[in-house]
Amino acid sequence: MGKTADYSNTKKYSDKKSFDGTPVEDGKVLVPFLRDKFHLRSGEYIDDNFTTMHLGEFKYPIGFMAIREDKYAEYMRDFWDEVNKDMECRREGRCIIDTNPDGTEILCPNTHRCKGCPYKGLLVRRNKKRIEIMSLDYAFENEGFDIEDDRYPSVEEQVINEMCPEPSYEEVRDRAIAHLESRNPRHAQIIRLELEGKTVDEICIEIKLRSSRGREVINEANDALCDYLKMPHMKNSHRK
């Protein structure tokens, strides 16, 4: 029988500090939140008040904020539900051991029983619930902008557009890769391979890393790309 979560200890995180240093008011308690889910701007937080939560192969930067004590259990259930769903979408999954006559994949029937298996680390793995990493193309898809009617731009706008035209996709791509190349050549290599249409498993082979570590580095490369583009990390984004 599985272990039942116990959220009765509302003081569990009392030894932590709020993300912005604000004292905890009476009747409130600290709870964790995923840093990547909040678009915090410089000056709104204290970096030293954040920590990293390690769950197996996954790392989650977390901060702490104050909520009403009577909402603690409800909040923590939602928090862990969000974390578990995220991990479920990012786990490696089971090895593909064969294919059916109709071409569908046959997955290994064992779960978390890879020890001693002669094929461990050699087969492609599949998690049907997994959502692959983003591509550079995706970074510009479905972005919300308030666009004014520019059919009749003002003279000032025409002059500005002529002097400072919007960069093309190719220019943004080249600048992003050059930036990554200067910081971490492997990250730049990964983004190039993605742009070539390589699959995650093919990229792992190219960068000479095993699947689990390779996927972690690929996610790091995409996080670095998001940082350069000043976008939130999109760990749950579909690969194009």
Side-chain angles (χ1 to χ4, degrees):
M1 184 173 178
K3 183 179 179 181
T4 302
D6 180 10
Y7 300 122
S8 60
N9 181 16
T10 61
K11 308 295 184 183
K12 183 175 181 177
Y13 303 104
S14 60
D15 61 331
K16 306 299 181 182
K17 297 180 180 179
S18 64
F19 72 97
D20 58 358
T22 302
V24 181
E25 301 175 5
D26 291 340
K28 293 187 176 182
V29 294
L30 289 176
V31 292
F33 67 87
L34 300 178
R35 181 171 183 168
D36 290 346
K37 300 294 182 181
F38 288 73
H39 306 307
L40 299 174
R41 294 175 294 184
S42 178
E44 294 182 338
Y45 61 91
I46 300 173
D47 201 53
D48 288 344
N49 289 1
F50 287 82
T51 187
T52 300
M53 177 172 65
H54 296 263
L55 297 174
E57 63 184 287
F58 305 116
K59 301 176 184 178
Y60 292 95
I62 60 172
F64 299 88
M65 62 182 179
I67 65 169
R68 284 169 41 189
E69 188 168 6
D70 62 334
K71 296 293 183 180
Y72 178 83
E74 178 184 353
Y75 175 89
M76 290 305 301
R77 279 192 290 269
D78 290 341
F79 172 79
W80 283 112
D81 183 58
E82 181 179 25
V83 171
N84 287 328
K85 286 180 179 178
D86 183 75
M87 288 194 295
E88 187 177 39
C89 291
R90 297 167 57 198
R91 287 194 176 102
E92 292 298 325
R94 302 184 187 184
C95 292
I96 301 173
I97 58 176
D98 205 346
T99 55
N100 291 305
D102 62 358
T104 56
E105 299 167 344
I106 299 176
L107 303 182
C108 177
N110 296 320
T111 303
H112 304 306
R113 297 179 183 177
C114 299
K115 186 175 181 180
C117 177
Y119 302 107
K120 182 178 180 180
L122 301 178
L123 301 177
V124 174
R125 299 167 73 177
R126 182 80 67 234
N127 176 359
K128 295 181 179 180
K129 295 183 180 181
R130 185 183 179 90
I131 299 176
E132 295 293 6
I133 55 176
M134 61 171 284
S135 70
L136 186 60
D137 290 324
Y138 186 88
F140 295 95
E141 182 183 15
N142 298 326
E143 286 294 303
F145 296 97
D146 293 325
I147 303 176
E148 297 179 358
D149 186 352
D150 60 357
R151 290 174 295 175
Y152 305 104
S154 66
V155 174
E156 180 183 5
E157 290 173 334
Q158 293 181 54
V159 172
I160 292 175
N161 289 337
E162 184 68 27
M163 296 176 62
C164 305
E166 287 293 320
S168 65
Y169 167 83
E170 289 74 16
E171 290 174 322
V172 173
R173 177 198 64 198
D174 293 343
R175 291 175 188 175
I177 291 177
H179 169 79
L180 295 177
E181 188 73 51
S182 67
R183 300 296 183 86
N184 189 319
R186 173 173 277 176
H187 288 173
Q189 179 190 11
I190 289 169
I191 300 302
R192 288 195 193 95
L193 292 170
E194 288 181 359
L195 291 171
E196 292 173 7
K198 299 286 188 181
T199 66
V200 171
D201 292 310
E202 288 172 338
I203 293 175
C204 290
I205 293 173
E206 288 276 356
I207 62 178
K208 296 179 173 59
L209 288 178
R210 297 184 67 169
S211 182
S212 57
R213 175 55 182 159
R215 289 178 184 273
E216 183 178 344
V217 175
I218 291 171
N219 284 334
E220 290 172 358
N222 280 271
D223 286 346
L225 175 62
C226 285
D227 290 340
Y228 173 76
L229 296 174
K230 294 182 173 59
M231 295 178 58
H233 294 180
M234 297 184 181
K235 293 177 180 177
N236 291 339
S237 299
H238 286 287
R239 182 186 174 95
K240 292 290 284 184

